[in-house]
Amino acid sequence: MAAEISEILQFLQQHEPFSPLPESVLAEVASQVEVSYFRAGTDILRFGEPIAELYLIRSGAVEIFRRNGSLYNRLSSGNLFGQFSLLMQKQVRFPARALEDTLVYRIPDSLFTRLCDEYEHFAYFVETDDHARLHLAVTDQQQSHPLSSAKVKELLSRPPVMIEQQASIQAAAALMSTESVSSLLIRAEASVDAPAIGIITDRDLRNRVLAVGLDANQPVSCILKPGLVSLESQAYVFEAMLCMLRHNIHHLVIEERDRPLGVLALSDIVRHESHNALLVARSIFRQPDLAGLQELATEVRAGFIRLVQEDANSHMIGSAMAVIGRSFKQRLLELAEEQLGPAPISYCLLALGSMARDEQLVVTDQDNALILDNSYDPALHGEYFAQLATWLCDGLHACGYPYCSGKVMANNPQWRLTRQQWSETFQRWIEQPNPQSLLDASIFFDLDGVYGQVEWAEQLRQQIAEQAKQHPRFLAAMARNALNRTPPLGFFKDFVMEQDGEHKNSINLKRRGTAPLADLIRVHALAIGSTALNSFERLAEVMEANILPKGRGPDLRDALEFIAMVRIRHMAADLQNGQEPDNNIEPDSLSDFERRNLKDAFQILSDAQKYLKFRYQPNRA
């Protein structure tokens, strides 16, 4: 008997919610366990019958049913059942049947009740369903990072200092000195209600006035840069940081109800939280040549590790890595133009895929393309842009962004098109979908302008949003493509792993997790005409459009976050161990907590793919 109790104790120590309990308590549980055996096809619990025990599967498999007889769940070794019935008037609510010969441990109701009363983690585990536990896991992580909870409004120390655009540069400089500020907001006119139309900084006075000998009696409007970058006061600090780095600015206007509330300086954020991972982008623009950029590649990986160690969430990490990647592209094109001379016509560099979605990590290749002005003449301009694209792609490769294996790069003439050609290409992909165009669409429908005439990218996104939702056949075809990659779950919610090759007995978390999630969210976003790029932002708009079943939107958000973070932590661990990071994880290397929640997240993905199939009827495409 002692040997049997010891075996039960070892099993309890390996499975939630028992594993965190004190050993003395586990020993007590083990001593009170009764063991039962059920043949395949045997009813274990019948609806409405009294129940007085909690069931823990030792071996075998059990099917759980709803009261109407439909299948609710399949459970295997280490899974509990009966807990909800014990909590609900001690009557069976979810009937159970042995799917195969099954051995179960039965734990008395009195001991179950005591464990719930004395151990909060035990009570939470048995009182909540899988989706709720996944949500708590995601929420706890996101709330642990200061930049993910701090709002920009909290960092403002004073109202903005403003001056009208007709005031002299001398007057503006004097006001900045008197008020001890490094920036001034410029109003259209002297009225206090006049809107802000721009901003000048002490750097502008140095570079655009003193350095060029500009007359200080000229109106301040002479040194205004076009456009005003702003952010709402309820935005998070990390969003402000990313916005500054993306636009390569050091001062950001913070607004509340469309009125300036203050100006946030980059130095304010640095004082609040020294975040070197994000500040790498600042160093990129200071590098004088390609060699200097190459030296920063190791800092990018070190910054990635720091973000993970500081419990940043996947959106923060993906956005930070994407901003750094954009900065490399921008600086490389600046260096290219210094080498080759100014571009003969206007152009726009497109970032595609994960960089465009702000979901880039350290394991990534380069996906990019060029939009050329409609005046493009291959005979006159072809050689220049061929050299420009080669400089860019070779430089990115040297800086740690490998060439795209599918040749989706600007150095491929196929992806250097005029504005008109791009517009016609997208229209053709939408109106006449075929396997190749759908493959291209899955990449190019995530596009963002990085350098040059970035508004051209916005115009293309608007065209896509307007046309895609009007073509059900295209949406059905995109849905069919989104179903090609399925989550790695077997019949009993066991992990299905790679069977051969270099990554045998592992799971590719990108191919089988984050990528199919991004694909199905993209289909829903196209269906509602969304122009958002980031998967979380797309999902928020999809949820607002009410096209998902109740509760599915938050579940998808939690699933995406959890799978992404397991993938991210795996990459960081590889880097810390001196290994080249990849997307493949071995389930045995995960904690019980990670395995359980990962299975829940994959099940949410599976359910979401079933709904995608139902909504868009991909087999009809």
Side-chain angles (χ1 to χ4, degrees), residues 580-599:
E580 191 62 24
D582 59 33
N583 292 301
N584 291 77
I585 59 111
E586 297 178 355
D588 289 345
S589 69
L590 301 175
S591 67
D592 186 61
F593 170 85
E594 287 178 314
R595 283 195 298 272
R596 183 181 68 250
N597 284 301
L598 200 55
K599 289 180 180 180

Side-chain angles (χ1 to χ4, degrees), residues 168-439:
S168 69
I169 296 172
Q170 171 68 38
L175 182 59
M176 291 171 68
S177 177
T178 300
E179 296 289 339
S180 298
V181 294
S182 59
S183 65
L184 281 182
L185 286 187
I186 309 303
R187 286 193 292 243
E189 53 191 51
S191 170
V192 294
D193 295 324
I197 60 171
I199 186 172
I200 64 166
T201 67
D202 48 9
R203 177 175 294 190
D204 293 325
L205 294 178
R206 182 174 67 249
N207 295 340
R208 309 185 74 182
V209 179
L210 295 176
V212 297
L214 186 66
D215 184 357
N217 292 316
Q218 293 289 321
V220 74
S221 58
C222 291
I223 58 172
L224 269 188
K225 296 177 182 177
L228 183 66
V229 181
S230 63
L231 202 63
E232 282 297 315
S233 63
Q234 293 303 308
Y236 293 108
V237 172
F238 93 91
E239 292 178 291
M241 184 70 157
L242 292 171
C243 184
M244 289 184 185
L245 295 174
R246 182 169 186 172
H247 294 279
N248 195 23
I249 58 176
H250 295 77
H251 295 80
L252 182 63
V253 180
I254 306 303
E255 295 184 338
E256 193 165 76
R257 299 186 185 90
D258 296 325
R259 296 182 62 85
L261 187 67
V263 176
L264 188 67
L266 188 58
S267 57
D268 296 327
I269 298 179
V270 173
R271 280 194 298 270
H272 174 76
E273 179 74 18
S274 179
H275 234 258
N276 295 330
L278 294 175
L279 296 176
V280 170
R282 294 180 66 194
S283 302
I284 291 172
F285 292 101
R286 300 194 186 110
Q287 301 310 310
D289 51 32
L290 178 59
L293 292 175
Q294 286 180 269
E295 291 178 3
L296 290 177
T298 56
E299 290 192 32
V300 173
R301 293 190 164 197
F304 175 82
I305 293 172
R306 282 195 295 270
L307 281 169
V308 177
Q309 291 174 334
E310 293 165 358
D311 293 324
N313 62 39
S314 72
H315 193 178
M316 293 174 64
I317 295 170
S319 298
M321 293 298 105
V323 162
I324 291 171
R326 285 189 182 94
S327 299
F328 272 112
K329 289 182 176 180
Q330 291 163 358
R331 184 57 184 148
L332 282 167
L333 285 178
E334 289 175 351
L335 292 173
E337 291 186 4
E338 290 177 11
Q339 179 78 16
L340 304 173
I345 58 172
S346 298
Y347 70 97
C348 171
L349 176 68
L350 293 177
L352 307 169
S354 60
M355 181 181 288
R357 295 195 309 271
D358 279 346
E359 295 167 19
Q360 191 166 48
L361 302 180
V362 290
V363 179
T364 185
D365 57 10
Q366 49 174 296
D367 291 326
N368 50 69
L370 283 178
I371 307 176
L372 305 173
D373 188 80
N374 287 333
S375 62
Y376 173 73
D377 183 337
L380 296 176
H381 313 130
E383 182 61 24
Y384 178 90
F385 285 106
Q387 292 183 32
L388 183 83
T390 298
W391 177 290
L392 171 70
C393 296
D394 289 351
L396 286 171
H397 183 77
C399 293
Y401 298 87
Y403 298 117
C404 173
S405 58
K407 301 188 185 304
V408 182
M409 296 177 289
N411 62 1
N412 182 346
Q414 182 181 359
W415 306 124
R416 297 197 300 270
L417 303 177
T418 66
R419 296 177 63 191
Q420 182 63 32
Q421 288 171 329
W422 276 115
S423 178
E424 293 170 352
T425 297
F426 280 116
Q427 184 172 347
R428 185 176 66 254
W429 286 346
I430 293 171
E431 294 180 352
Q432 303 169 26
N434 59 58
Q436 184 58 50
S437 68
L438 290 169
L439 180 62

Side-chain angles (χ1 to χ4, degrees), residues 482-614:
L483 297 172
N484 287 337
R485 294 182 284 196
T486 57
L489 287 182
F491 191 67
F492 301 113
K493 289 189 178 180
D494 293 327
F495 291 122
V496 176
M497 294 176 283
E498 302 289 338
Q499 297 302 308
D500 49 35
E502 178 185 357
H503 299 294
K504 185 179 180 180
N505 296 326
S506 69
I507 298 170
N508 188 301
L509 288 180
K510 177 181 179 181
R511 187 169 63 244
R512 305 295 294 275
T514 55
L517 276 166
D519 288 345
L520 72 87
I521 291 170
R522 183 191 301 112
V523 175
H524 290 310
L526 289 169
I528 64 171
S530 169
T531 58
L533 285 169
N534 179 261
S535 293
F536 290 105
E537 293 171 5
R538 284 173 168 170
L539 185 56
E541 294 190 10
V542 169
M543 290 163 61
E544 189 175 340
N546 290 318
I547 66 171
L548 298 178
K550 185 177 180 180
R552 292 284 181 87
D555 286 348
L556 275 173
R557 182 182 58 216
D558 293 338
L560 178 58
E561 175 65 21
F562 192 82
I563 296 173
M565 284 309 305
V566 174
R567 180 185 169 205
I568 286 168
R569 285 193 291 268
H570 166 72
M571 290 180 182
D574 280 347
L575 289 171
Q576 289 175 297
N577 292 329
Q579 301 171 354
E580 191 62 24
D582 59 33
N583 292 301
N584 291 77
I585 59 111
E586 297 178 355
D588 289 345
S589 69
L590 301 175
S591 67
D592 186 61
F593 170 85
E594 287 178 314
R595 283 195 298 272
R596 183 181 68 250
N597 284 301
L598 200 55
K599 289 180 180 180
D600 294 340
F602 284 140
Q603 186 60 50
I604 290 170
L605 169 56
S606 178
D607 294 341
Q609 288 187 328
K610 292 174 185 175
Y611 179 72
L612 195 77
K613 189 173 182 179
F614 163 77

Side-chain angles (χ1 to χ4, degrees), residues 47-156:
F47 179 76
E49 289 185 346
I51 182 172
E53 294 161 316
L54 176 70
Y55 292 75
L56 173 64
I57 301 173
R58 178 63 178 85
S59 63
V62 174
E63 288 186 323
I64 308 297
F65 299 89
R66 297 182 177 88
R67 62 186 301 174
N68 64 4
S70 62
L71 182 65
Y72 173 68
N73 207 350
R74 287 192 179 95
L75 306 177
S76 57
S77 179
N79 292 144
L80 293 173
F81 63 97
Q83 67 269 35
F84 294 122
S85 299
L86 288 173
L87 295 167
M88 298 167 65
Q89 300 179 342
K90 294 181 173 56
Q91 285 187 323
V92 174
R93 299 301 180 189
F94 295 91
R97 181 184 305 150
L99 182 63
E100 57 186 50
D101 291 352
T102 300
L103 198 68
V104 298
Y105 292 156
R106 298 174 7 244
I107 300 168
D109 173 41
S110 57
L111 181 54
F112 168 77
T113 301
R114 204 181 95 207
L115 293 175
C116 288
D117 290 341
E118 295 180 6
Y119 298 96
E120 184 177 354
H121 74 273
F122 186 95
Y124 182 82
F125 188 96
V126 299
E127 290 172 1
T128 55
D129 60 18
D130 297 340
H131 293 183
R133 286 197 294 270
L134 177 62
H135 178 68
L136 180 67
V138 169
T139 302
D140 283 349
Q141 175 183 287
Q142 291 182 338
Q143 290 179 344
S144 66
H145 194 280
L147 288 186
S148 66
S149 56
K151 302 291 183 67
V152 291
K153 186 176 182 178
E154 300 170 15
L155 271 61
L156 297 178

